[in-house]
Amino acid sequence: MIWRFIARRTAMLVVTVLVASIVIYGALFIAPGDPATLLVGGGKPPSPRVIEEIHRQYHLDDPFVQSYWRWLTGMLHGDAGQSLSYRDSVTHLITDRMGNTLFLVAYAALLIILPGVALGTLAALRGGLGENLITVVTTTLMAVPTFVISVLLIWWLSVRWGWFPAYGSGVGFAGRIEHLTLPALALAASWLAYVAQVTQAAVRAELASEHVETARSRGIPERFVLRKHVLRNAAGPIFSVSGVAVAGLIAGASIVEQAFGVNGIGALLIQSAAKQDLAVVQTLALITVVVFVAVNTLVDVVTAALDHRVSLEAGA
């Protein structure tokens, strides 16, 4: 049963990525503007002959189907084409910046999952003033946009107190920790609040469930009830929302990297979009979709394996 579920989810993943690739390439294919102008320097208008030669060299005038197929087969072979503005291969541009983004996302994921699950569990178990305080804080964090949190963190922890640098990616592990702490906090804030609230709701639901009441009535120690019946059964939704949060970090990294001057693929996406560098934008957009869908597929499979109350047929 589980293998059929995995096979169906994998097939859906492939179809989703294929459709997304067509949409992404098609949208940028018909976008206004001429990418060939990126290769023409100087203030004078480019000559038609130069533009025509650039179009021929980079296949900018090819029909959509032919151009899309060349791009897709190249992507499958690890060749994402050439960047017109950076005069470099797209693959090299991305791999050169991928490490900073992965480090930032992993750092933010830790700041989301560990405090988020701890705060949500504490709020559900303690109740009272502590629960109200955690609810107010998490609700506020969810309401504040990421770029506003970025500005506040720069002003407070960098400019005012000087605890962390506000710009750059750092060198080495210690340097990255120092430079990426503020970006990771800004990236994680709203998702941490979301994970905390979902954890609180899941734990509270389990505390009120019939099997927990039955276990308590039988005299089972409270710590065993919490570990065996409450936290274990609440692990499914907690893992699910944590996976969605990690996938969402990839999409939100662009704003944070641009705000803090992190040399990652998110900042590269914004800069390339501003320059109409279609090869870079298409590749990064497709990578974002693939990672997001793949993470969500993995979360669905693991959630179904953790929580046997989830119907595999319904989930498919």
Side-chain angles (χ1 to χ4, degrees), residues 12-196:
M12 291 174 61
L13 168 64
V14 173
V15 172
T16 302
V17 170
L18 182 62
V19 173
S21 68
I22 296 174
V23 173
I24 290 170
Y25 193 85
L28 295 175
F29 186 85
I30 63 176
D34 189 354
T37 57
L38 294 173
L39 295 178
V40 182
K44 296 182 179 180
S47 67
R49 179 174 297 180
V50 173
I51 294 295
E52 182 180 352
E53 176 61 24
I54 294 175
H55 278 223
R56 184 196 64 79
Q57 181 178 352
Y58 289 93
H59 307 283
L60 298 179
D61 290 332
D62 289 349
F64 173 76
V65 175
Q66 179 181 350
S67 180
Y68 168 75
W69 181 250
R70 179 187 297 109
W71 174 71
L72 182 61
T73 53
M75 290 285 292
L76 294 175
H77 288 86
D79 181 11
Q82 292 289 318
S83 167
L84 298 181
S85 59
Y86 291 94
R87 314 291 178 88
D88 196 359
S89 70
V90 177
T91 303
H92 179 262
L93 288 172
I94 294 175
T95 54
D96 192 44
R97 294 163 172 80
M98 181 71 75
N100 290 330
T101 299
L102 291 178
F103 195 98
L104 174 61
V105 170
Y107 194 178
L110 289 177
L111 296 178
I112 287 173
I113 297 173
L114 298 181
V117 173
L119 288 175
T121 304
L122 180 64
L125 295 178
R126 296 296 183 182
L129 180 60
E131 179 184 11
N132 294 333
L133 179 62
I134 292 175
T135 301
V136 169
V137 172
T138 55
T139 303
T140 303
L141 288 176
M142 290 179 65
V144 181
T146 301
F147 71 90
V148 175
I149 295 178
S150 300
V151 173
L152 292 176
L153 288 175
I154 292 174
W155 171 78
W156 183 34
L157 297 180
S158 181
V159 176
R160 184 181 179 88
W161 295 101
W163 290 352
F164 299 98
Y167 191 86
S169 308
V171 179
F173 182 80
R176 281 181 168 177
I177 289 291
E178 182 183 14
H179 281 77
L180 297 181
T181 294
L182 293 187
L185 287 172
L187 186 59
S190 60
W191 283 110
L192 183 154
Y194 187 47
V195 170

Side-chain angles (χ1 to χ4, degrees), residues 2-16 293-301 304 312 314-316:
I2 186 65
W3 294 111
R4 283 190 294 173
F5 177 75
I6 294 174
R8 282 192 292 266
R9 295 298 298 175
T10 303
M12 291 174 61
L13 168 64
V14 173
V15 172
T16 302
V293 176
V295 170
N296 278 280
T297 301
L298 179 62
V299 167
D300 289 343
V301 173
L312 297 182

